[in-house]
Amino acid sequence: LPLDEAEASEGRIWAENHTDFNMVTVLPPSRFVQGDEFIAKAPDDRVGLYLKTRDGKEVSGIAPQGCITVQLGQQLEIILGGKARATEHGVRAPSTPGIGRSSFAYFHHMGVECELAPFPEFEAEGRYNPPKQVGAYDFMTLYQIGLLTLDQLIGLLGYPNQVRVGRG
């Protein structure tokens, strides 16, 4: 969403740093818009996707023209026993008011009925145990990040008539 002048001068972000809970995310380069018009290039060097390296440094994740960015997600981290890590990333808004960002992300998930656990050759000494069903893992993650209510979660997990226990 385009920012107004006050928001743009505050250094706002469009997406807080996070990791995706899927297998991989595929991102072609984003396009920037002003009103109904696409802008040929980013309005400033602050805007766009930023990835965090293992040593905590933030680097631009904007793919060169004709390329894509591929981010590893939590599901892939788990099945690889942590040998590869989910990519922490965020999206910064421009410091120029009135500029929007149009992006297309492809999120690839494991099947909801699959077991989510490290492959035997990548066992991580119990770090990712106990094994979980992918669907339950996805629902719990959506609940933890506030995209599902407790009642929705309970219903999706198949316990609509059970006594609800507080989050405590």
Side-chain angles (χ1 to χ4, degrees), residues 63-140:
Q65 191 63 34
C67 297
I68 60 172
T69 299
V70 178
Q71 298 171 180
L72 305 183
Q74 294 169 16
Q75 291 176 353
L76 189 57
E77 177 179 333
I78 292 167
I79 66 172
L80 295 177
K83 301 291 184 202
R85 303 294 301 273
T87 309
E88 186 175 342
H89 62 283
V91 181
R92 297 179 187 169
S95 55
T96 308
I99 304 292
R101 177 175 173 264
S102 175
S103 64
F104 175 84
Y106 171 74
F107 300 101
H108 183 78
H109 290 259
M110 293 174 68
V112 295
E113 73 289 342
C114 294
E115 181 179 85
L116 186 58
F119 290 139
E121 60 270 29
F122 293 111
E123 182 50 48
E125 299 172 6
R127 193 166 130 205
Y128 296 98
N129 285 325
K132 301 157 190 65
Q133 184 184 35
V134 170
Y137 179 80
D138 290 352
F139 294 152
M140 280 303 299

Side-chain angles (χ1 to χ4, degrees), residues 4 12 17 38 53 55 67 84 98 121 123 151-152 154 157:
D4 62 30
R12 290 256 178 127
N17 276 5
F38 282 107
T53 64
D55 62 2
C67 297
E121 60 270 29
E123 182 50 48
D151 284 341
Q152 290 169 326
I154 290 169
L157 294 176

